Amino acid sequence: MALSYAEEREANIRRNRQVLLDLGVQKLIPVNEPKEQPRVKSKKRAVDTEEYDEAPPRKTVRAEVLPDTPSSDGRRRSNRISNHASIPDLRRGTPLPLTVKNVVSSSSDSPSKKRKHDPKVYGHIPGVEVGSWWASREECSNDAIHAPWVAGIAPGKNGAYSIALSGGYEDDVDDGYAFTYTGAGGRDLKGTKAAPKNLRTAEQSYDQSFENNNNKALKRSVETGKPVRVIRGFKLQSKYGPSEGYRYDGLYEVKQCWMEKGLGGYLVCKFAFVRTGGQPDIPVNSNKAGN
C-alpha cells in the first residue's frame, strides 16, 4: 500500500534524523540553549526579497532598520526591525538603541557595496562574527559571507564555500548543531507561465545528480573536510531560524552524502552537516517550530 504524502514525509524525517543521531548530534546540543531577546517595534515593515534564478529585480526598500552597530572588533552589524512587537530578536546581549540607518536605494542605478573580502575562501570571513545579521541576501553577498543572491550553495573546487538555509525541503531536519540538506537541481528553472523563472514555485520534475556543480561541490566537501559557512534565513521553518533577515551561524562540516527518493518520487542528493566546535551557541526562536 502506497504511503500518503504526510506518511512519506514523516518516514523521510525519521530516516534523516537517524542519520544525524548516528553522527552523534545529541552530544553537540547544549543543555541550556540561549533564548531570544525582545525585538524592537518599528513603524514600517521591510519588503522581503523574492527568490529568482538571476539577481532579483531591484526595488526601493522602504523600512527602518537597526543601525550598523560596531562590534568588539569594529565590524558593524545590521538588522531589520519587525513591525510586530511579539516577534523576538535573536541577538545576544542588551538590545541596541533604535536609530534610523540610511536606507540603501535598490534602484537599478544604485551599485552594490564593494566587497572588502573575497567570498571564495574556506572558513570565517575576517571581521564577521558568528551571530551577525543582515536584512537581505544582497547584504550577505556584499559582506562575502554567502556570495549568491539566490542559489543556496556557493561551490568551490575543494568543496562548497557556504550555503543558505531558507525554506528548503519539507523532509529535511534541522537540529541546529547538525542538519540534513537537500541538494540542487531537479526543478524546471523556467517556472510557470504565471511565475516564470521562479525557483520556489517549480516542482521537482526529474532526478538530482552529483554531477550538478553545486551538489558536486558539497560531495567534495565530504572528501576534503573543508568547513562550510552557514547562514539561516527567515523562511526556514525551524526553531533555529530567525524571524527576519539572515543570520550567520558559523562553520559546519559535511560529514555524509547519499541519494534517496524525495517526496515527489524523484531522487535527491542529501547531505549531513555537523557544526564545528568552539563557536557561540545558536539562539532558539520560540515562535518557530520545525523538523
Side-chain angles (χ1 to χ4, degrees):
M1 181 178 178
L3 297 177
S4 67
Y5 180 88
E7 290 172 332
E8 185 178 359
R9 175 178 176 272
E10 289 303 315
N12 287 359
I13 288 172
R14 286 195 299 271
R15 183 168 61 250
N16 289 329
R17 175 155 282 117
Q18 187 60 50
V19 170
L20 299 183
L21 291 174
D22 291 343
L23 292 172
V25 171
Q26 290 297 325
K27 299 177 182 178
L28 301 174
I29 301 176
V31 176
N32 297 312
E33 295 173 311
K35 302 298 182 181
E36 61 271 21
Q37 298 290 328
R39 196 172 182 85
V40 183
K41 186 176 180 181
S42 72
K43 298 178 181 178
K44 298 181 180 180
R45 184 176 183 177
V47 179
D48 291 334
T49 302
E50 298 293 334
E51 298 282 348
Y52 298 85
D53 62 340
E54 299 174 354
R58 303 176 71 81
K59 302 177 182 178
T60 301
V61 179
R62 302 181 181 277
E64 291 181 352
V65 294
L66 288 175
D68 285 339
T69 305
S71 62
S72 59
D73 60 1
R75 186 181 177 276
R76 305 180 76 82
R77 293 188 178 190
S78 64
N79 198 353
R80 182 171 53 182
I81 302 174
S82 167
N83 65 338
H84 299 291
S86 61
I87 296 179
D89 182 359
L90 304 190
R91 293 168 299 163
R92 302 174 184 84
T94 305
L96 301 174
L98 175 61
T99 60
V100 178
K101 162 187 168 183
N102 291 332
V103 177
V104 179
S105 171
S106 55
S107 61
S108 59
D109 59 351
S110 176
S112 296
K113 170 185 172 183
K114 185 177 180 180
R115 289 192 185 117
K116 293 183 179 179
H117 300 285
D118 183 1
K120 295 183 178 181
V121 296
Y122 296 101
H124 296 297
I125 299 299
V128 181
E129 298 177 6
V130 175
S132 295
W133 282 61
W134 297 265
S136 69
R137 288 279 292 271
E138 180 181 0
E139 291 185 7
C140 294
S141 181
N142 288 340
D143 279 347
I145 200 70
H146 181 66
W149 283 22
V150 174
I153 304 169
K157 181 179 180 180
N158 292 312
Y161 300 114
S162 60
I163 69 164
L165 296 181
S166 185
Y169 287 73
E170 293 184 14
D171 54 353
D172 275 326
V173 173
D174 183 10
D175 284 335
Y177 298 84
F179 58 85
T180 60
Y181 185 84
T182 301
R187 289 176 172 175
D188 183 358
L189 301 188
K190 295 179 181 178
T192 64
K193 185 176 181 180
K197 295 184 178 182
N198 191 326
L199 295 172
R200 297 301 181 188
T201 60
E203 295 182 357
Q204 188 172 354
S205 56
Y206 56 93
D207 293 340
Q208 292 184 358
S209 168
F210 285 117
E211 294 305 309
N212 176 289
N213 189 46
N214 291 330
N215 298 337
K216 183 186 293 185
L218 284 178
K219 184 178 181 181
R220 181 65 175 153
S221 295
V222 178
E223 300 166 352
T224 64
K226 294 287 187 181
V228 179
R229 295 186 299 275
V230 172
I231 61 171
R232 283 182 170 86
F234 66 97
K235 291 183 180 179
L236 181 64
Q237 295 305 307
S238 162
K239 69 177 184 178
Y240 296 101
S243 293
E244 293 191 78
Y246 299 85
R247 186 187 66 228
Y248 176 44
D249 282 343
L251 302 179
Y252 288 71
E253 292 183 7
V254 191
K255 293 293 189 179
Q256 191 172 328
C257 63
W258 69 98
M259 295 284 294
E260 67 177 39
K261 188 179 75 171
L263 290 175
Y266 295 96
L267 293 176
V268 294
C269 300
K270 302 288 289 193
F271 304 90
F273 285 71
V274 175
R275 200 168 190 246
T276 61
Q279 301 183 88
D281 291 338
I282 304 173
V284 174
N285 186 344
S286 58
N287 282 0
K288 283 191 174 185
N291 301 332

